Amino acid sequence: MSTTNTTAYDLLAGDLEGSTDVQLAPVKGQDLRRNLPREYFVKRPALFTAKILFAFALIALGWYGVWYALTTPVTTVSILAAVGGFFLNGLIYAHLIELQHECLHCHAFKSVKLNRLFGALAGVFMFSSHSHYRYDHLRHHAYLGTERNLEHFDYRFNDLNSLTGFAIAFFDLNRYKRVFNILAAALTGKPIAGVAKEEAQRHIKQEYLIYALAFVASVIASLHFHTWLFALAWWLPTLIIAEGAHFMIEMPEHYGLNTQTAPDVLENTRTIRTNPIIAWYVNGNHTHTAHHFHQGVPMCNVKKLNALIKPQLQVVETSYFAFYCDVIRGRISHRYDATCMAR
């Protein structure tokens, strides 16, 4: 297998919008990415279908728990059903965004339309547009390690070196300001800031409007049927649990690492050792360095890629829990000039 040194990597090489010959962010030293065996790029639509059906089955269970509590006398069982359904839904709504991430890379299906359909469906509970996430995220992959790098989910990543600061970031809902601004742009015909492609503008607006209509329909249904079901099974779990859970999934990827001027994905991206349950929940995101090493490799094969580049990994944490503890204690922090996540 031939190798090249990509210290001065050509960022314009590859297809920015594609899923095979993709643009790759810089990596120093041995570079075998363009010579990976074809087997690394095989997609498994049946596996993804099983994953998303399982996720929606868990959500259905959560909705049932809340519905059961609302339609039966207050007992220990009904309270546990409500609380369990509330937390289960919040956690799985965040998990769906990781499945949406798989779709935006076109890893789930060979069809772009199917990836968009399932990606948009996965984002409905958290108002996460598939097309918007896709537009920003593919550029994040191409430009990671350069000044052009940007993140889609601009969570609060500052002042995390205390339980209070971490909690404030966990419950931060500033992301919805951007959602409301885009909805306003969609309704008034104004362009979306930061999106240069006309087709992407159209798709993004369509998806946010669909999400808004779904929310309005749920409000009307709540008022008409005099029910708290939508509030307790969707709205509140999203705001109180899902946003924070997704923040905790996203934050370890690059936190404390130089994503703006360190042109090496092996240096500016983190890998975390974890157990199979957490690996399922984050949908392979714990092997984030491997994912950035070659984003054209479907998520179902990233574990194999991670094993291949294991000797080259530079930033590896023993567990998510250990990482969060190090952040709260101030052992891991970031410089504001080294990351775009400085809000």
Side-chain angles (χ1 to χ4, degrees), residues 219-285:
V219 172
I220 293 173
S222 297
L223 295 173
H224 179 76
F225 294 107
H226 305 286
T227 179
W228 287 94
L229 177 62
F230 293 96
L232 295 176
W234 176 9
W235 311 337
L236 292 177
T238 293
L239 298 177
I240 296 174
I241 305 298
E243 283 297 328
H246 191 248
F247 156 76
M248 293 185 72
I249 294 172
E250 291 279 309
M251 189 262 286
E253 297 174 350
H254 306 285
Y255 183 82
L257 306 175
N258 187 344
T259 61
Q260 306 306 111
T261 59
D264 184 3
V265 298
L266 298 170
E267 176 186 338
N268 58 34
T269 311
R270 178 176 282 104
T271 295
I272 301 180
R273 300 191 187 107
T274 192
N275 60 64
I277 294 177
I278 298 299
W280 158 78
Y281 181 68
V282 302
N283 196 37
N285 201 47

Side-chain angles (χ1 to χ4, degrees), residues 170-245:
F170 184 94
F171 292 107
D172 183 71
L173 299 177
N174 272 294
R175 182 175 74 85
Y176 287 94
K177 290 181 181 179
R178 190 184 189 193
V179 173
F180 292 143
N181 288 337
I182 293 171
L183 280 173
L187 292 171
T188 59
K190 295 180 180 179
I192 302 170
V195 179
K197 295 185 63 177
E198 184 177 340
E199 182 182 46
Q201 288 263 353
R202 184 171 66 255
H203 287 173
I204 292 167
K205 289 178 180 179
Q206 288 172 351
E207 289 164 17
Y208 279 116
L209 286 173
I210 290 171
Y211 295 162
L213 288 173
F215 175 73
V216 169
S218 70
V219 172
I220 293 173
S222 297
L223 295 173
H224 179 76
F225 294 107
H226 305 286
T227 179
W228 287 94
L229 177 62
F230 293 96
L232 295 176
W234 176 9
W235 311 337
L236 292 177
T238 293
L239 298 177
I240 296 174
I241 305 298
E243 283 297 328

